[in-house]
Amino acid sequence: MKASDKAYAALRRDIVSWALPPGSVLGEVEQAERLGVSRTPLREALSRLAADGLAVSQRGRGVVVSDVSLDHVDDLFSLRRALEIEAARSAARSGTPAIFNELARRFDAAAENLSAAADRDGYYGLAGELDAAIEDAASNAYLAQALQGLRVHLARLRRLSHDAPARLRASAREHAQ
Protein backbone atom coordinates (compact mmCIF):
# COMPACT_ATOMS: atom_id res chain seq x y z
CA MET A 1 0.00 0.00 0.00
CA LYS A 2 1.32 3.43 -0.93
CA ALA A 3 2.11 5.84 1.89
CA SER A 4 -0.50 8.30 0.62
CA ASP A 5 -3.16 5.55 0.59
CA LYS A 6 -2.20 4.55 4.13
CA ALA A 7 -2.44 8.17 5.33
CA TYR A 8 -5.73 8.70 3.51
CA ALA A 9 -7.30 5.56 4.98
CA ALA A 10 -6.17 6.39 8.51
CA LEU A 11 -7.33 10.02 8.35
CA ARG A 12 -10.65 9.05 6.75
CA ARG A 13 -11.26 6.45 9.49
CA ASP A 14 -10.38 9.00 12.19
CA ILE A 15 -12.70 11.61 10.67
CA VAL A 16 -15.65 9.23 10.37
CA SER A 17 -15.14 7.88 13.90
CA TRP A 18 -14.76 11.42 15.29
CA ALA A 19 -11.27 10.74 16.60
CA LEU A 20 -10.73 13.88 14.47
CA PRO A 21 -13.98 15.81 14.97
CA PRO A 22 -15.16 18.67 12.74
CA GLY A 23 -12.88 21.68 13.00
CA SER A 24 -9.77 19.63 13.86
CA VAL A 25 -6.68 21.09 12.24
CA LEU A 26 -4.86 18.54 10.09
CA GLY A 27 -1.38 19.99 10.44
CA GLU A 28 1.07 18.47 8.00
CA VAL A 29 3.95 18.03 10.42
CA GLU A 30 1.83 16.59 13.23
CA GLN A 31 -0.21 14.24 11.04
CA ALA A 32 2.79 13.05 9.03
CA GLU A 33 4.59 12.19 12.27
CA ARG A 34 1.54 10.54 13.81
CA LEU A 35 0.92 8.41 10.72
CA GLY A 36 4.55 7.62 10.02
CA VAL A 37 4.63 9.11 6.52
CA SER A 38 6.48 12.00 4.95
CA ARG A 39 4.74 15.27 4.17
CA THR A 40 4.40 14.62 0.41
CA PRO A 41 2.12 11.56 0.76
CA LEU A 42 0.28 13.33 3.55
CA ARG A 43 -0.45 16.26 1.21
CA GLU A 44 -1.82 13.78 -1.34
CA ALA A 45 -4.05 12.26 1.36
CA LEU A 46 -5.28 15.70 2.43
CA SER A 47 -6.12 16.54 -1.19
CA ARG A 48 -8.17 13.36 -1.48
CA LEU A 49 -9.98 14.14 1.78
CA ALA A 50 -10.79 17.61 0.46
CA ALA A 51 -12.08 16.11 -2.81
CA ASP A 52 -14.31 13.79 -0.73
CA GLY A 53 -15.68 16.77 1.23
CA LEU A 54 -14.16 15.53 4.50
CA ALA A 55 -11.61 18.35 4.82
CA VAL A 56 -11.40 21.98 3.73
CA SER A 57 -8.61 24.51 3.43
CA GLN A 58 -9.08 27.50 5.69
CA ARG A 59 -7.03 30.64 5.42
CA GLY A 60 -4.72 30.94 8.38
CA ARG A 61 -5.52 27.47 9.76
CA GLY A 62 -4.46 25.14 6.98
CA VAL A 63 -6.54 22.04 6.30
CA VAL A 64 -9.30 21.23 8.80
CA VAL A 65 -11.91 18.52 9.12
CA SER A 66 -15.10 19.78 7.47
CA ASP A 67 -18.17 20.51 9.52
CA VAL A 68 -21.20 18.23 9.63
CA SER A 69 -24.43 20.10 9.14
CA LEU A 70 -28.13 19.36 9.08
CA ASP A 71 -28.36 21.74 6.13
CA HIS A 72 -27.48 18.88 3.80
CA VAL A 73 -29.44 16.01 5.35
CA ASP A 74 -32.32 16.18 2.87
CA ASP A 75 -29.93 16.33 -0.08
CA LEU A 76 -27.87 13.39 1.20
CA PHE A 77 -30.95 11.23 1.80
CA SER A 78 -32.40 12.08 -1.64
CA LEU A 79 -29.16 10.95 -3.23
CA ARG A 80 -29.03 7.87 -1.01
CA ARG A 81 -32.55 6.88 -2.00
CA ALA A 82 -31.81 7.22 -5.72
CA LEU A 83 -28.52 5.32 -5.59
CA GLU A 84 -29.72 2.53 -3.29
CA ILE A 85 -32.89 1.94 -5.31
CA GLU A 86 -30.83 1.52 -8.46
CA ALA A 87 -28.35 -0.75 -6.67
CA ALA A 88 -31.18 -2.90 -5.29
CA ARG A 89 -32.77 -3.17 -8.76
CA SER A 90 -29.48 -4.28 -10.27
CA ALA A 91 -28.84 -6.72 -7.42
CA ALA A 92 -32.34 -8.21 -7.78
CA ARG A 93 -31.65 -8.89 -11.48
CA SER A 94 -28.51 -10.87 -10.59
CA GLY A 95 -30.56 -13.74 -9.17
CA THR A 96 -28.43 -14.52 -6.09
CA PRO A 97 -31.01 -14.57 -3.26
CA ALA A 98 -29.19 -16.92 -0.86
CA ILE A 99 -26.94 -14.24 0.64
CA PHE A 100 -29.90 -11.92 1.10
CA ASN A 101 -31.99 -14.61 2.80
CA GLU A 102 -29.17 -15.17 5.31
CA LEU A 103 -28.80 -11.42 5.91
CA ALA A 104 -32.57 -11.08 6.44
CA ARG A 105 -32.41 -13.79 9.12
CA ARG A 106 -29.51 -12.00 10.83
CA PHE A 107 -31.33 -8.64 10.68
CA ASP A 108 -34.37 -10.18 12.37
CA ALA A 109 -32.15 -11.50 15.17
CA ALA A 110 -30.25 -8.20 15.50
CA ALA A 111 -33.42 -6.09 15.67
CA GLU A 112 -34.31 -7.71 18.98
CA ASN A 113 -31.07 -6.45 20.58
CA LEU A 114 -30.93 -2.80 19.53
CA SER A 115 -31.28 -1.33 23.00
CA ALA A 116 -27.57 -1.31 23.91
CA ALA A 117 -24.98 0.87 22.18
CA ALA A 118 -22.78 -2.15 21.48
CA ASP A 119 -25.70 -3.84 19.77
CA ARG A 120 -26.18 -0.70 17.67
CA ASP A 121 -22.60 -1.00 16.46
CA GLY A 122 -23.24 -4.62 15.52
CA TYR A 123 -26.39 -3.61 13.70
CA TYR A 124 -24.48 -0.96 11.72
CA GLY A 125 -21.87 -3.59 10.89
CA LEU A 126 -24.62 -5.87 9.61
CA ALA A 127 -26.02 -3.00 7.56
CA GLY A 128 -22.54 -2.59 6.09
CA GLU A 129 -22.55 -6.27 5.11
CA LEU A 130 -25.90 -5.77 3.38
CA ASP A 131 -24.54 -2.73 1.53
CA ALA A 132 -21.51 -4.75 0.38
CA ALA A 133 -23.68 -7.68 -0.73
CA ILE A 134 -25.95 -5.39 -2.75
CA GLU A 135 -22.98 -3.62 -4.33
CA ASP A 136 -21.40 -6.97 -5.21
CA ALA A 137 -24.62 -8.34 -6.70
CA ALA A 138 -25.27 -5.10 -8.61
CA SER A 139 -21.88 -5.41 -10.34
CA ASN A 140 -21.57 -1.71 -11.10
CA ALA A 141 -18.26 -0.24 -9.94
CA TYR A 142 -19.38 3.35 -10.55
CA LEU A 143 -22.53 2.91 -8.51
CA ALA A 144 -20.57 1.22 -5.71
CA GLN A 145 -18.04 4.06 -5.65
CA ALA A 146 -20.78 6.69 -5.47
CA LEU A 147 -22.53 4.82 -2.64
CA GLN A 148 -19.31 4.40 -0.67
CA GLY A 149 -18.55 8.11 -0.92
CA LEU A 150 -22.06 8.98 0.18
CA ARG A 151 -22.00 6.56 3.12
CA VAL A 152 -18.99 8.31 4.62
CA HIS A 153 -21.05 11.49 4.99
CA LEU A 154 -24.04 9.57 6.32
CA ALA A 155 -21.81 7.85 8.90
CA ARG A 156 -20.61 11.26 10.09
CA LEU A 157 -24.23 12.41 10.48
CA ARG A 158 -25.07 9.23 12.39
CA ARG A 159 -22.06 9.80 14.63
CA LEU A 160 -23.17 13.38 15.20
CA SER A 161 -26.64 12.24 16.23
CA HIS A 162 -25.22 9.71 18.72
CA ASP A 163 -22.24 11.58 20.11
CA ALA A 164 -23.40 15.16 20.07
CA PRO A 165 -27.20 15.27 20.42
CA ALA A 166 -27.10 18.75 22.02
CA ARG A 167 -25.13 20.05 19.05
CA LEU A 168 -27.57 18.37 16.67
CA ARG A 169 -30.58 19.94 18.41
CA ALA A 170 -28.90 23.38 18.36
CA SER A 171 -28.14 22.98 14.67
CA ALA A 172 -31.75 21.97 14.02
CA ARG A 173 -33.02 25.07 15.83
CA GLU A 174 -30.67 27.27 13.79
CA HIS A 175 -31.81 25.54 10.61
CA ALA A 176 -35.46 26.19 11.47
CA GLN A 177 -34.94 29.93 11.96
Side-chain angles (χ1 to χ4, degrees), residues 38-56:
S38 69
R39 289 173 62 184
T40 298
L42 182 78
R43 283 187 201 112
E44 291 175 26
L46 293 175
S47 292
R48 287 176 62 190
L49 291 168
D52 291 347
L54 297 174
V56 294

Side-chain angles (χ1 to χ4, degrees), residues 76 79-80 83 145-155:
L76 287 170
L79 180 59
R80 177 185 184 187
L83 292 175
Q145 182 180 16
L147 280 164
Q148 289 165 9
L150 172 65
R151 288 187 185 116
V152 169
H153 297 285
L154 294 171

Side-chain angles (χ1 to χ4, degrees), residues 8-19:
Y8 170 79
L11 288 168
R12 184 176 187 257
R13 181 182 57 249
D14 290 347
I15 290 169
V16 172
S17 71
W18 282 49

